């Protein structure tokens, strides 16, 4: 089965863009993948055009070989744009392999180690009371985890106040949902070390499942000081491309949860290697997935087949976005993703519907400090 075409599809999904890649073959089967570099969809589409010439005419079954060719074939190692494009293509190749063999992707990854995959939704709200009420409603609907973010004030971010409000909000959510529900908080790389240390220490009494991205992701060495000064579990990794970006956090035991994004790190092929590396350090996967139906499906298959798994991010339950583009999505019930029994990823892609959803170029929202200076969103 030879690859005949590789087509990028940046699409508008109603409130944000998504980026999909369709790989076609001479057997009439197609695979579908997704890239995760949000707000850089057109750059990723051009990267796919570059990579296409390396792929057309090649056997679709040589997934590892094609990953190496794509990653190293331009001499310069892939950056985040290229690794996102590689990730989308790689996920499509796994989908194709499953379809060709008539089995779900998790069977190709060693088979299921669990019956279902626990997920967390995002909860938002301006006040502790609002967050507590919405969290309680999510628990009543079957969710076992809650996740919220360190608050901003419109486009203003004042770190000291944000830390104080985060602690108040966390306390209110804990009181509302009780001790059997896990709570995650995402600082979204907004804090500097002193505020991150303060946040983590003050949250210890409320037992967070993890504190996510307390620091920016360019300099992993900054996690040493934080890890020395707090006992809360730390999570990071959603901005990383390839296994090498994860090296220091895993090898130095600086995180307890790996927020790998399959659609940025290089696909299922690369994520499996990171997962194995994490296993040797007792780090659990908590895959990053603010993305679309293909990312959700790819995460589900990896989670089903990975022993060291913690929780799956799922702000958009299957069927809630792009139902025309993906008329078949993976099963979900009561806060859990369930094993699909269809071959491949278990989803269907409608190319004509994707062509109708033209991408809308834009940039990430911007935050500023009180003095007008830029700060991470
Ligand atoms: Mg995050």
């Amino acid at each position: 089965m030879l690859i005949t075409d590789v087509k990028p599809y940046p699409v508008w999904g109603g409130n944000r863009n998504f980026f999909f890649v369709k790989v076609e073959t001479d057997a009439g089967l197609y695979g579908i993948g997704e890239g995760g570099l949000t707000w850089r969809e057109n750059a990723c589409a051009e990267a796919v055009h570059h990579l296409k010439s390396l792929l057309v005419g090649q056997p679709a079954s040589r997934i590892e070989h094609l990953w190496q060719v794509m990653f190293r074939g331009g001499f310069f190692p892939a950056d985040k744009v290229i690794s996102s494009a590689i990730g989308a293509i790689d996920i499509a190749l796994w989908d194709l392999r499953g379809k060709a063999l008539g089995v779900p992707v998790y069977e190709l990854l060693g088979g299921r180690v669990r019956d279902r995959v626990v997920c967390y939704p995002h909860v938002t709200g301006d006040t502790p009371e609002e967050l507590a009420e919405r969290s309680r409603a999510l628990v009543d609907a079957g969710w076992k985890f809650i996740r919220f973010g360190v608050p901003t004030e419109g486009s203003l971010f004042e770190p000291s106040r944000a830390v104080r409000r985060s602690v108040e909000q966390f306390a209110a959510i804990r009181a509302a949902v009780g001790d059997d529900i896990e709570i995650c908080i995402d600082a979204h790389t907004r804090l500097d070390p002193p505020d991150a240390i303060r946040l983590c220490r003050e949250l210890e009494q409320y037992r967070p499942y993890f504190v996510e991205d307390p620091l920016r992701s360019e300099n992993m060495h900054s996690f040493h000081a934080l890890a020395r000064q707090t006992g809360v579990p730390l999570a990071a990794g959603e901005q990383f491309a390839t296994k090498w970006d994860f090296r220091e956090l895993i090898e130095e035991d600086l995180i307890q949860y790996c927020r790998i994004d399959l659609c940025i790190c290089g696909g299922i092929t690369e994520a499996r290697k990171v997962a194995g590396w994490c296993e040797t350090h007792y780090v659990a996967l908590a895959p990053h997935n603010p993305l679309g139906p293909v990312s959700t499906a790819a995460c589900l298959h990896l989670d089903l087949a990975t022993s060291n798994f913690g929780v799956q991010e799922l702000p958009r339950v299957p069927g809630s976005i792009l139902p025309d583009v993906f008329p078949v999505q993976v099963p979900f019930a009561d806060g859990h993703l369930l094993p699909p029994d269809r071959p491949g990823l278990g989803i269907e892609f409608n190319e004509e519907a994707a062509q109708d959803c033209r991408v809308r170029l834009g940039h990430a929202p911007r935050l500023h400090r009180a003095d007008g200076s830029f700060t991470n969103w």
Side-chain angles (χ1 to χ4, degrees):
M1 186 170 68
L2 303 179
I3 297 170
T4 55
D5 206 351
V6 184
K7 300 175 176 175
Y9 280 98
V11 306
W12 175 249
N15 60 3
R16 54 159 293 163
N17 290 319
F18 296 92
F19 178 71
F20 305 106
V21 172
K22 185 185 184 195
V23 176
E24 296 178 348
T25 67
D26 61 358
L29 294 174
Y30 73 88
I32 187 72
E34 181 168 355
L37 203 62
T38 307
W39 294 296
R40 297 289 184 267
E41 291 83 7
N42 280 2
C44 290
E46 283 306 314
V48 169
H49 289 310
H50 274 290
L51 297 170
K52 174 180 167 178
S53 60
L54 297 170
L55 300 169
V56 169
Q58 298 298 311
S61 61
R62 297 186 69 187
I63 301 174
E64 172 69 27
H65 174 69
L66 293 178
W67 194 97
Q68 298 292 337
V69 169
M70 288 189 286
F71 185 81
R72 296 156 67 185
F75 178 66
F76 300 100
D79 66 351
K80 286 183 174 61
V81 172
I82 303 287
S83 74
S84 296
I86 292 173
I89 293 166
D90 178 85
I91 290 167
L93 293 177
W94 280 97
D95 185 31
L96 263 171
R97 193 76 186 127
K99 287 172 175 168
L101 297 174
V103 295
V105 168
Y106 61 76
E107 296 288 6
L108 304 178
L109 302 177
R112 288 193 290 112
V113 298
R114 56 182 48 82
D115 300 327
R116 55 184 186 161
V117 167
V118 70
C119 302
Y120 70 75
H122 293 182
V123 62
T124 57
D126 290 330
T127 64
E129 295 74 23
E130 197 170 43
L131 280 161
E133 187 179 328
R134 291 178 183 176
S135 297
R136 187 66 238 171
L138 287 164
V139 170
D140 289 343
W143 297 87
K144 303 298 183 194
F145 279 71
I146 295 294
R147 172 272 193 196
F148 75 108
V150 166
T152 63
E153 300 164 70
S155 61
L156 173 67
F157 185 72
E158 202 290 300
S160 174
R161 199 156 55 229
V163 167
R164 285 201 308 277
R165 290 182 65 207
S166 296
V167 176
E168 290 167 11
Q169 292 175 347
F170 203 109
I173 295 172
R174 173 58 76 205
V177 301
D179 287 332
D180 288 337
I181 300 299
E182 300 288 1
I183 307 172
C184 309
I185 180 168
D186 185 1
H188 219 246
T189 74
R190 289 173 189 149
L191 299 174
D192 293 325
D195 292 305
I197 290 168
R198 205 157 23 239
L199 174 70
C200 291
R201 284 183 156 184
E202 292 186 20
L203 286 178
E204 283 175 8
Q205 60 186 311
Y206 301 110
R207 198 179 54 78
Y209 187 76
F210 59 61
V211 176
E212 174 184 353
D213 280 339
L215 300 170
R216 286 169 56 180
S217 68
E218 298 94 337
N219 176 11
M220 292 305 99
H221 208 68
S222 61
F223 274 78
H224 285 274
L226 179 60
R228 270 197 306 272
Q229 299 199 51
T230 181
V232 298
L234 301 176
E238 70 183 53
Q239 295 181 326
F240 293 176
T242 81
K243 62 182 90 61
W244 291 283
D245 280 354
F246 289 91
R247 187 196 64 78
E248 185 169 355
L249 289 185
I250 298 171
E251 286 287 303
E252 303 289 331
D253 297 308
L254 298 175
I255 53 171
Q256 287 68 48
Y257 293 94
C258 176
R259 297 280 292 131
I260 192 166
D261 189 318
L262 278 63
C263 303
I264 293 176
C265 79
I268 293 172
T269 297
E270 192 71 342
R272 286 180 85 200
K273 295 175 183 177
V274 175
W277 203 356
C278 285
E279 187 181 0
T280 67
H281 286 260
Y282 309 135
V283 173
L285 297 193
H288 181 242
N289 174 42
L291 301 175
V294 187
S295 171
T296 294
C299 289
L300 167 61
H301 287 272
L302 182 70
D303 300 342
L304 284 169
T306 300
S307 174
N308 52 316
F309 164 77
V311 65
Q312 176 60 55
E313 181 177 20
L314 188 69
R316 301 176 177 86
V317 300
S320 65
I321 50 159
L322 295 170
D324 298 335
V325 179
F326 294 95
V328 177
Q329 302 188 16
V330 294
F332 171 86
D334 300 327
H336 295 77
L337 288 166
L338 305 172
D341 52 15
R342 300 167 67 93
L345 292 173
I347 54 182
E348 293 292 337
F349 178 62
N350 183 328
E351 193 167 352
E352 290 71 33
Q355 286 164 351
D356 290 340
C357 305
R358 288 197 178 274
V359 69
R360 298 184 189 180
L361 289 185
H363 296 286
R366 286 196 186 172
L367 292 182
H368 62 88
R369 298 271 169 99
D371 64 1
S373 60
F374 182 93
T375 193
N376 275 16
W377 173 57

